[in-house]
Amino acid sequence: MKLVLGALNPIALRLGPIEVHWYGVFIASAVIIAVTLAVREGLRRGIRPDDIYDMILWALPFTLIAARLYYVGFQWSYYSQNPGEIIRIWDGGIAIYGGLIGAAIVVILFCRSRFVPVWLMLDVAAPTVIMGQGIGRWGNFMNQEAFGRVTSLSFLQGLHLPQWLISQMYINGAYRQPTFLYESVWDLLGFVVLMTTRHKKGLYKQGEVFLTYVAWYSFGRFFTEGMRTDSLMLFGVIRISQALSVVLFIGSLTLIIWRRRRLTENRWYLDGSGQKIATENK
């Protein structure tokens, strides 16, 4: 007898009038794991844990606000008519790219105020950020959002997915492409790649772990965004995240090449404290 499962409950726990959503649980879990890993890596790279904790305390609220404002801004026709829903981030509707922009601004300003090399801090954070993104996508899964076009049951079964996941992809009367899953797998694979290669001698210059993360994530996001049905649109025809992915992918690769040529020509590189050290082969 075939077991047919319904959609999963997006609410993890109720404490009287308080509802704890799975979306928030996944986001919070991703942040905790990311901070823990960043602190461990920071110690290896000469960054004090207090600097990382302080940066996170500043970055988290600004990241959430930027991610929400980015989303709301491109959905203003709806939220202008429903202003009370602007703060309901527990129902979903935060844009990763908006959050990354907000976080990058905070990191740059914070590092300059603490005299911590910006590129070094970004290198420490990059692998944990992409890992957090991979975990956070499961919040979209629980909310049945960030899904793709209509597909067939046989296609999903052909991916050898568990029945509970397939059942959750039955949305609005049809099975949908699990784009959240594609992006989550791509992000977690990127985490593995960065974690296993970031300390290999001569593979990265300072700042390139972060730039590699940007290139990796934007490359995968371009394709998953093209499958989605809820993309934020510009002028009704341009998928904003796809356009931004192209810019970031090209920009990050260009910056890697430019920086390597510049460092080679000038015969110097930056050590962990941001000091220039002359070298003939770095």
Side-chain angles (χ1 to χ4, degrees), residues 91-239:
D91 290 332
I94 59 175
I96 287 179
Y97 273 138
L100 293 178
I101 293 171
I105 293 173
V106 171
V107 170
I108 292 171
L109 294 177
F110 179 87
C111 288
R112 294 192 177 219
S113 69
R114 293 290 181 92
F115 303 101
V116 177
V118 175
W119 285 119
L120 179 61
M121 182 68 85
L122 291 173
D123 278 350
V124 168
T128 65
V129 170
I130 198 169
M131 179 273 301
Q133 290 172 273
I135 295 174
R137 277 301 177 196
W138 286 87
N140 297 133
F141 166 72
M142 293 301 299
N143 279 356
Q144 290 187 307
E145 60 188 7
F147 52 81
R149 298 186 179 93
V150 172
T151 188
S152 64
L153 174 60
S154 60
F155 174 83
L156 296 178
Q157 291 173 334
L159 296 177
H160 304 289
L161 301 176
Q163 184 59 44
W164 56 266
L165 196 155
I166 293 176
S167 297
Q168 189 74 352
M169 286 295 97
Y170 190 77
I171 304 169
N172 297 332
Y175 287 100
R176 304 283 180 161
Q177 287 278 2
T179 48
F180 88 92
L181 178 63
Y182 303 152
E183 187 168 328
S184 178
V185 171
W186 179 255
D187 291 346
L188 294 176
L189 179 60
F191 168 70
V192 173
V193 170
L194 292 179
M195 289 291 286
T196 55
T197 62
R198 61 182 174 173
H199 293 306
K200 288 192 175 181
K201 187 176 181 180
L203 184 58
Y204 294 119
K205 306 297 180 183
Q206 191 179 99
E208 289 186 15
V209 172
F210 170 74
L211 293 173
T212 301
Y213 150 70
V214 173
W216 181 281
Y217 176 73
S218 58
F219 182 84
R221 180 61 184 270
F222 177 85
F223 292 101
T224 57
E225 189 68 26
M227 302 179 195
R228 288 173 57 169
T229 60
D230 62 344
S231 297
L232 299 175
M233 305 296 288
L234 186 63
F235 308 123
V237 293
I238 300 175
R239 294 175 186 262

